[in-house]
Amino acid sequence: MGIEDNNMRNGRGLSDQWADSMVVRPRTTERSITVHKKLVLGFAISILTLIVVTAIAVLLSVRFEECAGESSSRGGNGSNAKFNGSRDGNGNHKDEEAQPWRHLRLPTSLRPRHYDLRLSVNMDNFTFSGEVNIEFECVNSTKFIVLHMDRLEVEKVAVYSDNKKPGVMRIHRQFHYPGNQVYVIALHRELKPMRTYKVNITFDAEIESELLGFFRSSYMLQGERRYMAVTQFSPTHARKAFPCFDEPIYKATFRVSLRHDASYLSLSNMPVEASISDDDGWVTNHFSRTPRMSTYYLAWAVCNFTYREVTTESGVVIRLYARPNAIQSGAGDYALHITKRLLQFYEDYFKVKYSLPKLDLLAVPKHPYAAMENWGLSVFVEQKILLDPEVSSFSYQMELTMVVVHEICHQWFGDLVTPVWWEDVWLKEGFAHFFEYVGTDFLFPKWNMEKQRFLTDVLHEVMMLDGLASSHPISQEVYDATDIDRVFDWIAYKKGAALIRMLANVMGQQVFQRGLNDYLMTHMYSNAGRDDLWNKLTEAMQKEGKDINIKEVMDCWTLQMGYPVVTISKNYSLDHSVTITQEHFVYDRDAKIRDPDLFNRSLQWQIPLTLAVGNSTYKSSEVILWISNKTETHKVGRMDEDMWLLGNINQTGYFRVNYDLHNWRLLIGQLMTNPEIISVGNRAGLIDDVFNLARAGYLPQNVPLQIICYLPQEREFLPWHAASRSLYQLDKLLDRTEDYSLFSDYVLKQVASKYHKIGWPLALTEGSIIQASYQTEELQREVIMLACSFGNKHCHRQAVSLISDWISSNKNRIPPNVRDIVYCTGVSLMDEDVWEFIWMKFHSTTAISEKKVLLEALTCSDNGFLLNRLLNLSLSSDLVPDQDVIDVIIHVGRNPHGRHLAWRYFREKWDILNSRYGEALFMNSKLISGVTEFLNTETELNELKEFIQISGGGAGPALARAVEIVEANVRWHSLYERQIFQWLRKSPNG
């Protein structure tokens, strides 16, 4: 903590003038004079007055520091919490210099060059001590060194000059300002521009149990609890482990040394340069110097793990570290080998070599996120990197693959080139999310991820979120420290990926790659903003003779919230023209009336609309129309009465498409007679658009129900997946209504023929990982899931039979790809003994993927007592991993028999949940969304509003978004529930 000094407490802060007045002592010239007695008396009075004034100043300075502490504990408000200018060194230096510790951003006066960081880690009492030596350059003259620091006890501070007159500089005072998590060192004399200095700080701290900063976690090995410690610094937690300039723009090199008991090994971003054993049984590992990098990508770990390794053709050593039993079983081999291939893929794609000599993958028992892309030391929670091929389903393998692909992409987009500030975090997360699908296609071309699975898992999912009135632009200003965590949401990840995909399709693959190469080469080991990317992509287009200003096009997509719905209407006249309109799509259309300030801005986009026409036997080639006005008229070639229009070919654009009702009928007719005239991506897109347009009131409710009547003819997985996602959304709105069976019977009728035709996978004999026939396996799984979920009796009997065979034989012959469906169905239909059996298997299995499936199955019970028991055990014991606690609560909430239980439990345990996951806002938002998204009664809406009022609204945007969603659910019931059931009663397909 900062030393409480009594020299600065006047409530205004240290100014240069004040500092000078405190350190400069006037000199007097000695001379012989005769002093009159009155002068002596006057002099004495002056001295006495000076003493009194000094005493008052001391008292006032005490009050100043108390005020500083009070204001910091209030979190800082008003101008103190505002963003304080750009990081280019041209901000208002005088304004910064007044009280630089009060700003959200660090002052621009200093710039770090290099850190020497030495740590001594004690795993017996979970403490560590450290010494950091920071070399920095002075950009603007200042008397203040302001560093980030949080939860550290400072022991000693020294500042050195590295100039012509090296030596120790006098420190006037130092203190901690917790409001902005900074440590302030005030010097007697100024640091001068263009000169370098060093600050040396020794400190002590605890290895936290909270999963941020330098934290510990544990695991069981042969009945013994073992401990390990690892870092998680993104976005603002390096300051919890060492004093530093903890902002992305302040890149520097690092040299790390870790001292610890020799029974442990230690890892960091770079290889070990030297290892020195001490007589006391401890060892010190000195790691090589890193390239220039941001503080939040620094990492280290101390653990008892073992590893396996491979080496790339270019000599990069890749190691996967995990618990010894996981390594021995080969659970890490899959991730290790795809990482080797991915490094080569990204080097070829970006035409930029991987920058480090090694890459370690570390599988940890607990982590606040799925993974973290620390440069050279990527950390994964075990569930996202360890794979047991004998019990892991295809979906588990796919998810794991994409997490690894994502993190390896970050070694370029993030580690090598880092966003300037958090407002553009999508510049790294959007690219990594997009390349999850491109990179996975490289590994497994038959999966066809970018052209197909991207649509349902990214585009359709984020458009639901971005269609809310409470959405925000993808590039959002960060005014407050709490805003930094909030930018890591699905808008940044998934909308970022969708916009990048749209842009790549507009530019063409080769031009897009050239632009990315130029961007990476120009900004490597440095930082970049969105305009830097737009400039490089524009230059790449210009070299191809295409005069498209990428910034002008993309600013409307990144700086505006939401997205447009494009309505295409045929003009049934001789000129064969179409009228195209765009408007901001929102589910709550009344929001435009309630909040005119938000929606009267007339949001418009520059839309690359691809368009084709067709009929039962023919589809034209696509044309591209740039739509930039609210309403436009275009000619698209000859259109007969029976010809339909289709917009957004292959769903490459980030917008919805609506048509006049006659065109919708023609498209549905096409799907019923010959669906394959329309591409598989557009078939999935039509399903997603029609359900969401109806939910928002743009279309009658019967149109989506009519479109799914074609599904018995559908042979591809993707449209079935799009349909099931939309049907589950509708199911959760209807599953507690009196007439629910009308809906479920209608869905079952559309599923039945495909279910009986496609059948079940063969019972497992010899376990093997599934990857040969992705489309067939996934289609089969999707249809079985729909059949069992909506109550197909044959499906139920099959699931019960498979569970019974497992219990009686104690041999699990259930195919991995449908285990989650079978377990869930069995638990929901069978007695309490089956629940206990699954609970026992959850504890006994060592396979990470199987644990996750078993745990989720326990949430499927119809028994409220068992669901309550599971909820209580999840949070109050170590039996359920931290990462899975949130999933348990969410899955109980998705169970119609557990929805109210989960909602009540969430409210009762909010303080505990918020304290555990509060700083990891991404997890907190996931929890809030999952528990509240299917609440749909007036009573539940009032309970939610009351809860927010009582709780103080700690989760901010997530709770506001929850209110909007529940209000929409309630409104939907009042407007459309009756309409749907009336149509279902009359439907010939029901």
Side-chain angles (χ1 to χ4, degrees), residues 106 112 115 146-149 181 233-240 242-250 294-297 421-422 484:
L106 293 177
Y115 294 77
V146 183
L147 298 160
H148 283 114
M149 191 188 80
Q181 299 180 345
F233 290 160
S234 177
T236 58
H237 305 294
R239 63 194 68 175
K240 290 180 170 68
F242 66 105
C244 56
F245 296 82
D246 199 12
E247 291 182 12
I249 194 71
Y250 290 121
S294 300
T295 47
Y296 74 92
Y297 282 132
W421 183 236
W422 302 110
I484 294 174

Side-chain angles (χ1 to χ4, degrees), residues 191-217:
L191 303 172
K192 300 300 181 184
M194 306 298 290
R195 296 182 182 177
T196 59
Y197 301 87
K198 286 183 180 178
V199 58
N200 181 278
I201 304 174
T202 56
F203 57 93
D204 298 310
E206 292 184 5
I207 303 172
E208 300 278 356
S209 57
E210 182 186 12
L211 307 181
L212 295 169
F214 185 29
F215 69 90
R216 67 183 186 267
S217 65

Side-chain angles (χ1 to χ4, degrees), residues 255-293:
R255 192 181 293 274
V256 176
S257 297
L258 293 173
R259 184 174 183 271
H260 51 81
D261 190 291
S263 62
Y264 291 87
L265 63 85
S266 56
L267 306 169
S268 189
N269 306 77
M270 299 296 286
V272 173
E273 193 173 61
S275 187
I276 300 171
S277 297
D278 299 332
D279 293 338
D280 59 1
W282 283 48
V283 64
T284 303
N285 286 330
H286 299 277
F287 296 89
S288 301
R289 189 184 185 114
T290 71
R292 288 186 74 242
M293 58 189 279

Side-chain angles (χ1 to χ4, degrees), residues 68-78 80-81 102 177-180 480-482:
E70 288 168 7
S71 64
S72 67
S73 67
R74 291 192 295 267
N77 50 45
N80 294 341
R102 288 186 175 273
Y177 185 72
N180 284 329
D480 190 273
T482 56

Side-chain angles (χ1 to χ4, degrees), residues 736 868 871 889-890 892-895 898-910 913 927-948 951 959 962-963 966:
R736 294 184 291 176
N868 253 328
L871 288 168
I889 299 171
I890 289 172
V892 171
R894 287 176 179 169
N895 179 344
R899 191 164 305 156
H900 197 67
L901 286 173
W903 171 224
R904 187 183 66 201
Y905 186 81
F906 168 81
R907 286 174 289 155
E908 290 174 353
K909 303 296 183 182
W910 169 248
L913 292 164
L927 173 62
I928 293 166
S929 172
V931 170
T932 61
E933 65 179 323
F934 297 124
L935 303 178
N936 55 43
T937 67
E938 284 282 0
T939 301
E940 289 166 341
L941 175 59
N942 291 331
E943 287 172 347
L944 174 59
K945 290 179 176 178
E946 183 183 346
F947 166 72
I948 293 172
S951 68
L959 286 171
V963 170
V966 178

